[in-house]
Amino acid sequence: LGKGTFGVVPSVLAEMLRGAGGDAKVGTDVVTLVNQTISRFKDESLPVVAGAYGVLVASVLTQIQSNKSILGNTASQEARELRDLYKVWVQFVHGVAHTSLSRICVAEENAASLQPLVQSVIEGITVIAEPSAAKCCVQVVSRLANLWASSTDTLPGGSVPE
C-alpha cells in the first residue's frame, strides 16, 4: 500500500469485513493489514484508520462478543482463529492508543464504541491467556486512562475529574 491508495482503503476494508460474514480469519487479515499500515505510516495512516475505524470496531467486537463461549475450547480451530483475531485486535488498539491516532478512539462519532472497546481489552487480559498479550492489554488500559485523565476536553462518557 502506498499513500496514494489511502482514499479507497477504508471502503475496501469495510467491504471485506461485510463480505466476511463473521469469519474470524478474514477479520484477522483485515486487522493485520490495518496494523501494518499503522506500523509503516505511523501518524500518516490517520485517513485509513479514521475511515475504517467504525466498521472495523463494530465487526471485530461483534465477532468477539458473539463467540465468547468458544474461546475456552483450545482444541477447536474456530476458537484458535477467534483468539488470533483477539490478539491482532489488541495490537490494533495498542497501536492506535500509543500514537496520535488515539484521538480517533475518543472522537465524538466513536463515543458509542469506546466503552465496548475498553471492555474488550480488559477481558483480553484473561481471554487470550498469553503473557505478552496480557501486558499489551494492560498498557492499552493504562494509556487510555492517562489520555482521559490528562485531557482538557470533555470526553465521551463524562467530564474530566478536577
Side-chain angles (χ1 to χ4, degrees):
L1 285 177
K3 290 183 217 174
T5 64
F6 281 7
V8 297
V9 171
S11 59
V12 171
L13 295 175
E15 191 57 38
M16 289 172 67
L17 289 168
R18 277 192 284 278
D23 183 345
K25 195 162 177 49
V26 172
T28 299
D29 291 343
V30 170
V31 177
T32 299
L33 179 60
V34 175
N35 287 346
Q36 290 169 343
T37 303
I38 293 170
S39 178
R40 178 160 183 223
F41 295 103
K42 312 286 186 250
D43 295 344
E44 293 176 293
S45 66
L46 180 64
V48 171
V49 178
Y53 187 83
V55 70
L56 184 67
V57 170
S59 176
V60 172
L61 291 179
T62 298
Q63 287 184 50
I64 290 170
Q65 294 301 318
S66 63
N67 293 299
K68 266 188 183 177
S69 61
I70 68 164
L71 282 168
N73 180 359
T74 56
S76 160
Q77 177 68 22
E78 188 179 15
R80 279 192 298 275
E81 289 175 0
L82 189 60
R83 278 193 300 278
D84 288 345
L85 173 60
Y86 216 135
K87 285 185 252 183
V88 297
W89 166 248
V90 169
Q91 291 167 355
F92 166 75
V93 177
H94 187 274
V96 169
H98 285 85
T99 65
S100 67
L101 303 174
S102 60
R103 65 181 179 259
I104 296 169
C105 296
V106 296
E108 192 62 40
E109 63 269 17
N110 298 319
S113 66
L114 185 58
Q115 191 277 332
L117 178 141
V118 172
Q119 186 64 37
S120 74
V121 173
I122 291 170
E123 290 172 357
I125 294 170
T126 57
V127 170
I128 301 172
E130 290 181 16
S132 61
K135 179 181 177 182
C136 189
C137 291
V138 170
Q139 289 172 337
V140 168
V141 172
S142 174
R143 174 68 175 152
L144 292 176
N146 285 336
L147 287 171
W148 176 77
S150 65
S151 176
T152 57
D153 300 327
T154 300
L155 299 177
S159 59
V160 176
E162 300 289 327

